[in-house]
Amino acid sequence: MVTTKQFRPRGRPRRFDPEEALATAQQLFHAKGYDALSVVDITTALGINPPSFYAAYGSKAGLYARILDHYAETGAIPLQRILRPDRPLAESLAELLVEAAKAYAGNPATSGCLVLEGTRSNDPDARAAACVFHVAAQEAIRDFIAKRNPRDADRLADFVSTTMAGMSASARHGQSLDRLLATARIAATALAHGIPPE
């Protein structure tokens, strides 16, 4: 006898774990980019239906804003650990560039910087959310430099931020970790020559 009745497995259905969902969605946004990722992609990966998605996050941009918060806490370059007042300025900035290279090319599935790539989004809400984090990081770097070298803070911070943006874009285009590290070290040499001795 043939039946079309569907039998459900015993036990309770798997509960939706918001933290696990954020980590999964973060990987998706990082891998595909905001614009290329659809709500269907997200709901399929999270195992939820669209009404549950909108009830939990409001919109794709709403989820992205929460992911940026999560990324700042768990996946971004640890500026506070690197930019310390007890070490030479050039040494701190050199480590920042090396750590950026490692972060941007360490995992081919999530290359580049989630925040920097988000600042290029076609969606104005997503772009604005990413820009908040990008500007905050730029200001943290500039403020760190200004405490030691106020006269050159703008140009040095611009150099570091521009180098990091270029490395992120290059990683997204498939540049290897070795090549990014070489760029970071060349930039570090330039910084060492451009920063007056402390």
Side-chain angles (χ1 to χ4, degrees):
M1 180 171 145
V2 177
T3 178
T4 58
K5 186 176 180 181
Q6 298 292 316
F7 291 94
R8 294 185 178 180
R10 291 183 178 181
R12 293 182 180 180
R14 183 170 168 262
R15 290 185 64 190
F16 178 70
D17 182 334
E19 284 301 310
E20 185 179 318
L22 277 180
T24 299
Q26 180 177 312
Q27 293 281 323
L28 288 171
F29 277 106
H30 207 151
K32 294 187 111 179
Y34 184 92
D35 296 330
L37 188 64
S38 70
V39 170
V40 172
D41 293 331
I42 298 167
T43 56
T44 300
L46 300 185
I48 60 175
N49 56 36
S52 297
F53 169 82
Y54 289 111
Y57 303 112
S59 65
K60 186 172 90 162
L63 172 59
Y64 182 65
R66 289 179 61 177
I67 283 169
L68 289 173
D69 285 329
H70 186 260
Y71 179 72
E73 294 174 5
T74 63
I77 298 164
L79 294 180
Q80 290 184 337
R81 179 183 64 76
I82 296 169
L83 304 180
R84 301 195 323 263
D86 62 336
R87 61 194 306 203
L89 176 57
E91 182 182 308
S92 295
L93 297 177
E95 183 184 348
L96 176 60
L97 293 173
V98 167
E99 288 301 312
K102 290 177 181 177
Y104 299 163
N107 182 351
T110 55
S111 59
C113 173
L114 179 66
V115 170
L116 281 168
E117 299 310 312
T119 63
R120 301 182 181 97
S121 173
N122 293 323
D123 182 281
D125 292 334
R127 188 169 62 248
C131 283
V132 168
F133 285 87
H134 178 48
V135 169
Q138 286 183 311
E139 288 178 350
I141 294 167
R142 190 206 171 280
D143 290 347
F144 174 74
I145 297 169
K147 288 174 184 173
R148 316 278 276 281
N149 190 339
R151 191 174 68 178
D152 296 325
D154 287 336
R155 71 181 184 87
L156 292 173
D158 287 347
F159 177 77
V160 171
S161 296
T162 301
T163 302
M164 291 172 71
M167 290 196 300
S168 176
S170 294
R172 291 293 283 184
H173 295 141
Q175 194 167 102
S176 69
L177 175 57
D178 286 344
R179 290 177 67 187
L180 285 186
L181 285 171
T183 297
R185 288 170 182 139
I186 291 169
T189 299
L191 284 167
H193 284 86
I195 296 175
E198 296 179 49

